[in-house]
Amino acid sequence: MITVTDLSKSYGSVQALQGVSFHVDAGEIIGLLGPNGAGKTTMMKILTGYLQPSDGTVEVDGLDVLTQALEVQQRIGYLPETAPLYPELSVQESLKMIADLRQIPEDEQPARLSRAIRATGLADHLTRPIGQLSKGYRQRVGLAQAIMHMPRLLILDEPTIGLDPTQMVEVRHLIRSLAGNSTVLLSTHILSEVEAICDRVIILLNGEIKADARLADLEATTDVILVLEEGAPDASADLQAMEGVRSVEATPAPGGLAYRVQTSDSRDLRPAIYALARDKVWPLVELRRDQRTLETVFGELASAAGGDTE
């Protein structure tokens, strides 16, 4: 659905994007994650044909964004960070205007409007002026506008910014439900947003891609956590002597002592560590594979890139 190759964009001396390449298959929900200023919004604008890149190529649904911009835009639904709405119009008037601008045939408009209204939960607010709606419902109107023409690609730039916690949850559920009909590319700097909505994450820092993986793969690790009861003998030396162990770190844990065993390869050391604990008669409390959070991964990448995680 999306193929980006060696994409770069500069604003004078400022390099917003540098050598960015990635591929998105149809039906995926992708999170484009990065701090403010990482280049996410620039990427969105290039994908929609609003900005011209300095270098590189971008294809959407097999079409070149630079030379076939109109055809690409017909396939895209786009919700920018601030939804483009006219506060004096009612919800119904606004959606009808977008249907006309999208050149949806008159005989198809009732069905398209009804579908978008049902999907976004706007049925009880059609006659209300947009200026009287809450931020959450204005976002719903923006989403309804973006999906009315049944786009093959839905691009959302910070869709929950400024919403209260209840509204954020509602919009996240809504985006997940829309993904059944469209590929979704979601730009955000909110880690929990990606974890709640996306299957895969692309982490953008200082205009470059630092990670591109499925969430489960990105957060996975072969490191093992071993917790022994308080008063147990120090197990560090025995663990360090095991084949496949790179390092052992001991830290206090509730009711005992925890050991983080870092592996030197991809093998699962839990069976061997359990056998060792049984032979040594260690008072075992817990033995599990460590699981990194997206926050941990992002922090590590940002620190390595010299970036700011805020």
Side-chain angles (χ1 to χ4, degrees):
M1 179 55 64
I2 302 174
T3 301
V4 174
T5 306
D6 293 329
L7 185 67
S8 296
K9 176 64 179 178
S10 60
Y11 300 95
S13 61
V14 178
Q15 190 77 33
L17 295 172
Q18 184 174 350
V20 171
S21 298
F22 64 90
H23 178 82
V24 177
D25 291 326
E28 287 192 284
I29 306 177
I30 306 296
L32 184 60
L33 177 64
N36 292 328
K40 304 185 304 300
T41 296
T42 296
M43 174 69 70
M44 301 291 98
K45 290 180 177 179
I46 291 175
L47 285 171
T48 58
Y50 182 79
L51 277 182
Q52 296 284 310
S54 302
D55 199 5
T57 61
V58 180
E59 290 186 359
V60 172
D61 202 18
L63 301 173
D64 189 302
V65 172
L66 299 182
T67 61
Q68 299 169 286
L70 182 59
E71 291 93 332
V72 169
Q73 290 165 354
Q74 290 171 343
R75 289 162 167 77
I76 289 177
Y78 177 44
L79 178 63
E81 184 174 335
T82 301
L85 303 172
Y86 293 93
E88 68 276 10
L89 295 182
S90 70
V91 173
Q92 186 169 340
E93 290 169 339
S94 179
L95 296 181
K96 177 65 169 69
M97 179 187 69
I98 295 300
D100 291 337
L101 290 174
R102 281 288 184 181
Q103 299 181 334
I104 298 174
E106 286 287 341
D107 60 338
E108 295 182 18
Q109 286 192 16
R112 297 284 187 93
L113 285 165
S114 177
R115 175 184 173 275
I117 289 165
R118 286 198 310 271
T120 52
L122 289 170
D124 295 334
H125 301 271
L126 295 179
T127 60
R128 292 187 62 186
I130 290 173
Q132 296 180 10
L133 298 177
S134 68
K135 178 67 183 294
Y137 272 96
R138 290 199 297 272
Q139 287 293 84
R140 288 170 182 260
V141 176
L143 278 170
Q145 292 180 351
I147 66 173
M148 189 184 310
H149 59 299
M150 301 176 67
R152 288 180 51 77
L153 174 63
L154 187 58
I155 297 178
L156 309 174
D157 192 359
E158 305 283 2
T160 64
I161 192 167
L163 304 186
D164 64 37
T166 300
Q167 294 168 339
M168 290 177 69
V169 171
E170 291 174 350
V171 171
R172 287 171 181 175
H173 286 313
L174 175 57
I175 294 170
R176 290 289 301 184
S177 68
L178 296 175
N181 299 306
S182 302
T183 301
V184 177
L185 182 63
L186 167 73
S187 170
T188 184
H189 67 281
I190 304 173
L191 300 176
S192 59
E193 194 101 296
V194 175
E195 292 177 319
I197 300 174
C198 303
D199 305 314
R200 176 178 147 211
V201 61
I202 296 173
I203 296 180
L204 193 65
L205 293 168
N206 301 325
E208 298 180 277
I209 290 180
K210 298 300 182 182
D212 180 359
R214 297 187 67 81
L215 274 174
D217 296 334
L218 194 64
E219 296 173 345
T221 174
T222 58
D223 294 351
V224 175
I225 301 297
L226 169 70
V227 181
L228 302 180
E229 288 182 2
E230 188 174 358
D234 188 355
S236 299
D238 290 315
L239 292 169
Q240 186 66 65
M242 293 181 63
E243 182 181 357
V245 172
R246 183 172 75 246
S247 65
V248 177
E249 178 185 355
T251 56
L257 192 63
Y259 298 86
R260 179 187 299 275
V261 182
Q262 294 186 314
T263 62
S264 58
D265 50 40
S266 60
R267 78 180 74 182
D268 183 359
L269 289 180
R270 286 175 298 173
I273 292 175
Y274 176 76
L276 178 63
R278 184 184 56 200
D279 293 343
K280 296 290 185 178
V281 198
W282 289 339
L284 184 63
V285 175
E286 184 179 7
L287 177 63
R288 60 178 172 83
R289 177 172 285 176
D290 190 24
Q291 184 75 16
R292 298 189 301 175
T293 65
L294 182 57
E295 181 178 2
T296 301
V297 174
F298 184 69
E300 291 172 352
L301 292 171
S303 296
D308 185 357
T309 59
E310 295 299 324

